[in-house]
Amino acid sequence: MKFLAVCGFGVGSSMILKMTLENVCRQRNLDCEVENTDISSARGMNVDAVFTSQELADELKGSMKCPVFPIKRYMDKEEVGKALDEFLKNK
């Protein structure tokens, strides 16, 4: 599986979200690749799911062919885990 962590510029908060998502995937023994990127680059990428802020999620939902999950607290493993579990349940 391939996931994207997206923020406005693709360097700050998306890197934090990427690390949290990688930790959550490891806890669930999932083989996945996680990349962090900016919103413009995300639109052209083929991935299984996108994790981002609520504001960017609203913007990305219309332009992505995969599920987009809004995350409020990027370092919260429980919140990120719930979003990942929702993705896995609907996969």
Side-chain angles (χ1 to χ4, degrees), residues 6 39 43 50-64 66-72 74:
V6 179
I39 188 166
R43 288 189 174 105
V50 173
F51 298 81
T52 189
S53 68
Q54 181 65 59
E55 298 80 19
L56 296 181
D58 292 340
E59 196 172 326
L60 282 170
K61 283 182 181 177
S63 60
M64 298 296 295
C66 65
V68 178
F69 296 96
I71 304 293
K72 290 182 183 175
Y74 288 0

Side-chain angles (χ1 to χ4, degrees), residues 16-84:
I16 293 167
L17 180 54
K18 173 190 175 186
M19 292 187 301
T20 304
L21 187 53
E22 287 173 334
N23 285 333
V24 170
C25 286
R26 269 194 300 277
Q27 288 175 344
R28 287 161 174 72
N29 293 318
L30 292 176
D31 182 28
C32 64
E33 178 185 346
V34 184
E35 286 186 40
N36 60 301
T37 191
D38 64 278
I39 188 166
S40 297
S41 299
R43 288 189 174 105
M45 299 179 83
N46 185 21
V47 295
D48 294 300
V50 173
F51 298 81
T52 189
S53 68
Q54 181 65 59
E55 298 80 19
L56 296 181
D58 292 340
E59 196 172 326
L60 282 170
K61 283 182 181 177
S63 60
M64 298 296 295
K65 295 179 182 178
C66 65
V68 178
F69 296 96
I71 304 293
K72 290 182 183 175
R73 297 174 308 274
Y74 288 0
M75 295 178 74
D76 187 340
K77 290 181 189 175
E78 185 176 332
E79 181 182 0
V80 174
K82 284 180 182 177
L84 180 60

